[in-house]
Amino acid sequence: MNMPPSPSGAEHTDGSSIRLGALVPLTRPGWVEAGRHLLAGLDLAVREVNDAGGIDGRPLELVVRDTAADPERAAAAVDELAHLGVAAVVGEYHSVVARAAAARADALGVPFLCSSAVLDALTEEPTEWVARLAPAQSYGWRIYADFLLHAGRRRIAVVTQPSVYWASGTRVLRDHLVPRGGTVLELDATLTPEALCDALVDHGATALLLLVGHPEPAVPIVRAVRGDRRLAEILIGAPAGQPEFAGWAAALGEEGAGIPFLRYLPERLGPLGERVGKELRERLGEAPSFVAFEGWDTVAVLAAVLRSHGTDRAAIAESWPRVAVEGTRGPIQFSRTPGISVWQWAWTPIQVVDRDPAEPDRFRILHAG
């Protein structure tokens, strides 16, 4: 589905605007809440750039395409956006979708600044065309594994669906936990919730990690585990961040609290982050997630690059190692990181947080990396 142009600059149709293609999951089975927050951040930053005079007097225009969590659709969108003459492509939340977009951008010679996807192998081979703001999965999920160890949770069960993203996450957890005395048991998400609970009891699991989609099957799994008296002491965790969004709390209420997850924010935002956060809250009608901040930071980086290096695609890609931008969550610079095939911000601040059982709309910081 082609989305209507963004209001933040799309009224300029005389060819004077600088176009940025934006890939965002806005319909199911994509994570629509994440897409809405990502787009809010992208759009707010574009409007602020344009209110400040644009890029050398030329407005930015966001050309939005809905990926609906479909890798083929994302690759086709990159083709279309390249044909439309965008200076760069930004966005995407789902790792498997971002991987398809990155491969196509690399093949076409279009700069792609990935906002939110964390899969380490975003491209098969090292590329100069792609940079990323989100931390690599191997980095963030190791911090989550450290949290589990510090909390005394060593018998870990993961309930997982078939996906390169979930498989990669399981591997990161196993590689980090097993040498430190932990165990990792994989359980198939096709198990009934009752059978899953039985398996957790049989294994003596002290933690269950949800490496599954939301709301299905995550919500019924949480309800089943919370309702099983045998599992009263088990920790439910969601490293991929499902409890970050309001839809989680709406679906599960108190049962959705006390489930630790990863988010990419500092303990305290600085003045820029506070200002942007306030604007995002007004736009969204709710507290902005870290994904919204990722969107804003994406445009801030590209605006700085466009001012310094112009709109030539090759010049944009060549500028990644020279980026030095103040983002909402700290200074942003890109480097080559071992095992990562793209230019990487190493590293955004990372927290393990949960929703406070006494006040599910409030987040508690449990661990920081």
Side-chain angles (χ1 to χ4, degrees):
M1 177 176 73
N2 288 349
M3 301 304 297
S6 160
S8 53
E11 64 271 20
H12 302 275
T13 56
D14 59 358
S16 66
S17 60
I18 299 171
R19 290 179 157 190
L20 298 179
L23 304 177
V24 190
L26 295 173
T27 54
R28 300 287 298 163
W31 199 337
V32 175
E33 272 190 289
R36 188 170 72 91
H37 279 237
L38 178 56
L39 183 56
L42 293 167
D43 196 64
L44 172 62
V46 167
R47 180 167 292 282
E48 290 184 356
V49 168
N50 290 342
D51 287 348
I55 307 297
D56 295 329
R58 299 174 65 189
L60 285 181
E61 177 185 347
L62 209 55
V63 184
V64 181
R65 293 296 178 264
D66 173 22
T67 64
D70 184 336
E72 292 184 7
R73 189 159 159 171
V78 174
D79 279 346
E80 181 201 359
L81 293 166
H83 180 71
L84 290 173
V86 300
V89 174
V90 300
E92 195 45 47
Y93 177 80
H94 298 282
S95 280
V96 292
V97 180
R99 188 173 66 158
R104 198 70 195 125
D106 181 49
L108 294 172
V110 178
F112 175 36
L113 179 51
C114 180
S115 304
S116 295
V118 301
L119 193 69
D120 282 40
L122 206 54
T123 55
E124 293 294 329
E125 301 291 336
T127 176
E128 301 297 321
W129 292 98
V130 182
R132 173 168 57 189
L133 287 173
Q137 187 178 26
S138 60
Y139 181 74
W141 286 44
R142 281 198 300 267
I143 289 172
Y144 194 92
D146 282 336
F147 157 74
L148 293 172
L149 293 171
H150 292 160
R153 310 285 178 161
R154 283 179 163 75
R155 295 182 66 81
I156 312 301
V158 299
V159 56
T160 185
Q161 293 173 301
S163 160
V164 65
Y165 173 65
W166 300 126
S168 171
T170 302
R171 187 166 55 251
V172 171
L173 293 167
R174 180 174 282 116
D175 288 351
H176 197 73
L177 290 168
V178 171
R180 293 163 177 82
T183 61
V184 178
L185 170 71
E186 289 187 60
L187 299 172
D188 195 307
T190 59
L191 287 171
T192 66
E194 295 76 17
L196 179 68
C197 290
D198 289 341
L200 294 173
V201 172
D202 292 344
H203 181 64
T206 57
L208 169 66
L209 305 186
L210 304 170
L211 308 194
V212 295
H214 166 71
E216 297 291 336
V219 168
I221 290 172
V222 171
R223 287 187 177 137
V225 174
R226 291 289 201 219
D228 194 319
R229 292 182 181 179
R230 301 172 298 170
L231 299 171
E233 299 302 316
I234 199 168
L235 173 79
I236 305 175
Q242 296 93 323
E244 168 79 7
F245 296 97
W248 175 272
L252 282 162
E254 292 180 0
E255 289 182 316
I259 297 179
F261 63 94
L262 286 166
R263 71 173 180 177
Y264 310 131
L265 290 173
E267 187 170 351
R268 285 186 178 80
L269 292 167
L272 175 62
E274 289 283 358
R275 179 188 70 74
V276 171
K278 182 180 177 183
E279 296 278 351
L280 287 169
R281 180 184 286 271
E282 291 177 4
R283 281 184 164 236
L284 290 162
E286 61 189 21
S289 69
F290 68 85
V291 180
F293 288 99
E294 287 175 328
W296 195 95
D297 287 344
T298 299
V299 172
V301 167
L302 267 176
V305 167
L306 290 166
R307 289 189 183 104
S308 299
H309 302 278
T311 59
D312 178 76
R313 290 171 176 171
I316 292 170
E318 289 167 5
S319 75
W320 300 136
R322 294 188 289 279
V323 163
V325 172
E326 189 61 32
T328 57
R329 298 161 298 148
I332 298 170
Q333 294 181 292
F334 297 115
S335 60
R336 285 298 190 187
T337 304
I340 310 299
S341 59
V342 301
W343 287 100
Q344 175 71 52
W345 179 18
W347 299 97
T348 175
I350 294 180
Q351 304 167 352
V352 180
V353 304
D354 70 0
R355 290 180 176 270
D356 187 343
E359 191 181 340
D361 287 337
R362 191 178 80 86
F363 294 107
R364 303 183 299 183
I365 299 175
L366 308 176
H367 186 78

